[in-house]
Amino acid sequence: MAAALRSIQLIQLPRGVIDALAAGDLDGANRQAPLELTEHFSRDRQPLWRIRSAQLQEHPGDAVWITRAVYDPELRRAVGLAGFHGPPDDAGMVEVGYSVDPAYRRQGYARAALEALLAVAAQEPSIRVVRATISPDNEASRRLVEQYGFVANGEQWDDEDGLEIIYEVDAGGSAGSGG
């Protein structure tokens, strides 16, 4: 049985916070962040923040699209991170990414984050396809995206994450269809 949908907010992180996380400075990030970030934002996530920091250096406008904090207003704390890898490409495709702090997994936060991202995609006319790339070993994420109509249509090699299965869904009818 699926966990109840959690009430979350996706909080954009200021550029200085992303740069501090890219440098491995969680304390410095927390001094600038609009909310307290947990170890989950730094532990094993530094490569992600380095990519996002470099991305913002080259394309500052991507800030509204990329990784945000997943905030639970009831708990009043960050429980993970989620966002798009960037704005829609020329074909209208965006890729989603999400990660939940291990202390908060299996409580519906990944589902809530995915639904929030799918809702954004459904409302943005320039987005036609939503993509998720998932390790073949990550059964929980694979089951989650499949519940929202994502279909596997290939695979790729990621230098950070290894082999990934590519899942895609039409942006127009995906939000809220999970079970």
Side-chain angles (χ1 to χ4, degrees):
M1 179 174 217
L5 189 62
R6 302 297 289 226
S7 175
I8 62 155
Q9 298 170 351
L10 297 180
I11 307 293
Q12 185 174 344
L13 299 174
R15 169 95 185 266
V17 172
I18 292 170
D19 292 343
L21 290 168
D25 182 6
L26 181 60
D27 291 337
N30 271 320
R31 283 192 293 275
Q32 303 174 63
L35 69 164
E36 184 181 354
L37 305 176
T38 65
E39 282 292 322
H40 183 67
F41 282 78
S42 63
R43 185 181 55 231
D44 301 325
R45 300 290 176 268
Q46 193 174 8
L48 167 71
W49 299 118
R50 285 181 181 149
I51 291 167
R52 298 295 167 244
S53 178
Q55 180 179 1
L56 292 177
Q57 179 72 29
E58 190 170 334
H59 303 285
D62 286 4
V64 299
W65 292 98
I66 64 168
T67 311
R68 297 169 178 248
V70 177
Y71 178 76
D72 181 327
E74 185 178 319
L75 295 178
R76 299 172 69 177
R77 66 179 307 126
V79 296
L81 45 129
F84 299 105
H85 290 208
D89 68 12
D90 291 340
M93 186 275 294
V94 291
E95 184 171 342
V96 296
Y98 50 87
S99 176
V100 176
D101 188 314
Y104 299 99
R105 288 186 181 154
R106 303 195 59 76
Q107 297 179 38
Y109 290 111
R111 177 178 302 281
L114 180 60
E115 282 205 7
L117 295 170
L118 289 172
V120 169
Q123 295 300 311
E124 176 57 51
S126 64
I127 299 175
R128 294 197 300 273
V129 174
V130 179
R131 174 179 286 179
T133 56
I134 301 170
S135 165
D137 299 334
N138 190 340
E139 190 174 326
S141 275
R142 288 188 296 115
R143 280 195 319 261
L144 177 61
V145 299
E146 288 170 354
Q147 290 173 11
Y148 287 84
F150 283 78
V151 176
N153 68 355
E155 56 186 46
Q156 68 182 21
W157 183 263
D158 183 272
D159 288 337
E160 292 291 330
D161 300 322
L163 180 65
E164 297 177 327
I165 299 173
I166 300 169
Y167 290 86
E168 292 183 342
V169 68
D170 176 66
S174 56
S177 62

